[in-house]
Amino acid sequence: MSEFAEQLKKIRAEAVSVLQKVSDAKELEAVRVEYFGRKGKYTLTMKGMAKIPASDRPAMGSLSNQIRNELTQKIETVASQIAKKEREHQLLSERIDITLPSRHSQIGKKHPITQTFEIINSIFHNMGFQIAEGPEVELEYYNFDALNTPADHPARDLQDTFYVEDGIVLRTHTSPVQIRVMEQEQPPIRVIAPGRVYRRDYDISHTPMFHQVEGLLVDRDVSFSQLKGVLYSFAQQMFGKKTKVRFRPHFFPFTEPSAEVDISCPFCQNGCRTCSGTGWIEILGAGAVDPNVFKSVNYNPEEYTGFAFGMGVDRIAMIKFGITDLRLMLENDMRFSEQF
Ligand code: PHE
């Protein structure tokens, strides 16, 4: 046998035994280069073909092809074995134990203010009130003028009200919604208007943004005693059957007569910190709709009467949930909201 043929067979035997020891893709690639790379053993040996006598060439050609095919095949086989092994290894190492208990993701809670709004809304809904809304950036006209609040009223002072621009304010109460509703509809009217309001105030018990729910009822022959009945019923549903309600004379430009309304302190019998030792907590302002307000929406005050009230939702939430610091409401701390 020619030296050339012998050389090729040696390469084959050697390559076959090397391939048996290969254990990963990197090693396999090194072996491929060692034999079939540009300077590989097989490649270099094949350069000797030029010196083979023409008569031997067909035989040598077919031998070298056969060896190359055989080795290429083997390399491919080993490659697919390695790939399979690696995939199995990966599947094993990335195995998920589906019997492990899951880690629970934290579930949010409704903010106490939201919860309080929902309770208030549902109490009044059950008494036949519908929900109305108005803008937080409001015309001075709706916030003050139409509510019988003259230009020289102290509430209109820059010290108390956020002015956006001339004639436009951040509403200081939800009462402008009364006007918007009455402009749109004719009596009988029975609405509440929950929402945010803004005043230039900031201390332990005041934040520049807070929440109110307005109430408005207009019809023929509406009396102050009906206002009392509605608010008694609300207070007892909100704070419990034992709750007492007290009306104190007060003044609002848009109601006449007017009152501030207190509930008996749910935390004590005869005075604690929450009620400043008085046994009573103020929760809202109310009164009979002033005839001047009816005139600004073209209702006939001889034909219709009504009552209105506006309650402080933050205060009510603090009482309802026993929260002592108003600022906690604004911190968005889950440890806080989780408690309610
Ligand atoms: N708007 C008043 C306030 O913010 C509350 C109020 C509403 C009083 C309706 C009477 C009638 O203090």
Side-chain angles (χ1 to χ4, degrees):
M1 195 176 5
S2 74
E3 206 186 312
F4 182 79
E6 229 162 276
Q7 183 70 26
L8 281 178
K9 285 179 181 168
K10 216 181 99 196
I11 285 173
R12 169 168 65 187
E14 189 188 298
V16 167
S17 97
V18 167
L19 278 172
Q20 272 168 2
K21 292 177 209 130
V22 162
S23 66
D24 65 29
K26 229 174 111 188
E27 271 175 49
L28 182 64
E29 175 60 10
V31 171
R32 195 191 60 76
V33 172
E34 187 184 345
Y35 291 91
F36 294 106
R38 262 193 321 123
K39 290 179 181 157
K41 291 177 179 166
Y42 177 89
T43 317
L44 292 178
T45 306
M46 285 305 285
K47 295 208 162 134
M49 186 68 108
K51 293 179 200 140
I52 306 279
S55 59
D56 286 348
R57 264 190 215 163
M60 288 305 108
S62 94
L63 176 68
S64 63
N65 276 345
Q66 190 203 324
I67 288 178
R68 195 191 58 222
N69 289 342
E70 210 179 288
L71 288 179
T72 313
Q73 188 97 59
K74 277 210 154 47
I75 288 174
E76 263 162 35
T77 310
V78 173
S80 75
Q81 282 166 356
I82 287 172
K84 194 174 160 215
K85 214 174 68 186
E86 281 176 354
R87 200 165 49 242
E88 274 165 9
H89 177 76
Q90 190 185 15
L91 285 175
L92 272 176
S93 67
E94 289 177 2
R95 197 161 124 167
I96 293 167
D97 183 352
I98 58 165
T99 67
L100 280 176
S102 63
R103 242 174 291 160
H104 284 282
S105 49
Q106 215 176 12
I107 293 174
K109 281 274 181 74
K110 281 180 187 167
H111 193 281
I113 295 285
T114 305
Q115 292 185 46
T116 307
F117 267 128
E118 289 179 355
I119 299 168
I120 295 172
N121 291 354
S122 107
I123 291 172
F124 283 104
H125 176 82
N126 289 339
M127 291 195 261
F129 287 75
Q130 292 190 312
I131 291 185
E133 283 183 320
E136 291 171 28
V137 179
E138 182 58 285
L139 292 171
E140 207 174 353
Y141 171 76
Y142 287 110
N143 197 80
F144 294 123
D145 301 86
L147 286 163
N148 195 37
T149 310
D152 60 2
H153 192 276
R156 292 174 81 143
D157 201 310
L158 281 171
Q159 295 247 306
D160 301 309
T161 303
F162 288 108
Y163 280 80
V164 176
E165 55 186 65
D166 211 22
I168 299 176
V169 299
L170 296 187
R171 67 179 180 191
T172 59
H173 50 182
T174 42
S175 301
V177 184
Q178 291 185 31
I179 306 297
R180 288 183 174 275
V181 168
M182 289 190 282
E183 277 186 348
Q184 294 296 316
E185 280 162 50
Q186 290 302 307
I189 282 178
R190 219 183 320 180
V191 291
I192 55 166
R196 295 194 173 108
V197 299
Y198 302 84
R199 283 180 207 173
R200 296 180 81 113
D201 248 342
Y202 194 43
D203 60 43
I204 263 203
S205 51
H206 296 89
T207 49
M209 183 280 293
F210 57 104
H211 306 84
Q212 290 188 334
V213 173
E214 192 78 9
L216 174 69
L217 187 146
V218 182
D219 204 345
R220 295 192 171 87
D221 303 320
V222 177
S223 69
F224 204 92
S225 69
Q226 289 166 351
L227 168 64
K228 290 181 96 170
V230 165
L231 293 179
Y232 266 104
S233 170
F234 164 74
Q236 296 194 342
Q237 290 181 66
M238 191 77 203
F239 301 108
K241 273 261 169 279
K242 291 199 188 112
T243 311
K244 293 194 203 96
V245 180
R246 178 173 86 169
F247 283 65
R248 277 180 291 107
H250 195 72
F251 173 80
F252 295 106
F254 32 90
T255 46
E256 182 60 34
S258 305
E260 275 188 336
V261 179
D262 304 335
I263 55 157
S264 53
C265 179
F267 302 113
C268 67
Q269 306 298 342
N270 36 31
C272 66
R273 246 183 51 168
T274 307
C275 60
S276 317
T278 63
W280 297 93
I281 304 175
E282 182 207 322
I283 57 161
L284 60 88
V289 179
D290 193 292
N292 283 338
V293 172
F294 282 148
K295 282 182 200 152
S296 64
V297 294
N298 292 317
Y299 281 9
N300 180 359
E302 303 298 324
E303 191 178 354
Y304 295 113
T305 49
F307 63 73
F309 55 85
M311 57 181 74
V313 176
D314 306 70
R315 177 72 70 88
I316 290 170
M318 288 174 83
I319 301 167
K320 179 87 185 161
F321 296 111
I323 299 163
T324 48
D325 187 341
L326 184 60
R327 291 168 297 191
L328 286 170
M329 301 272 204
L330 298 170
E331 279 170 8
N332 277 337
D333 189 331
M334 275 293 286
R335 289 170 301 179
F336 170 73
S337 39
E338 259 171 359
Q339 298 173 42
F340 311 104

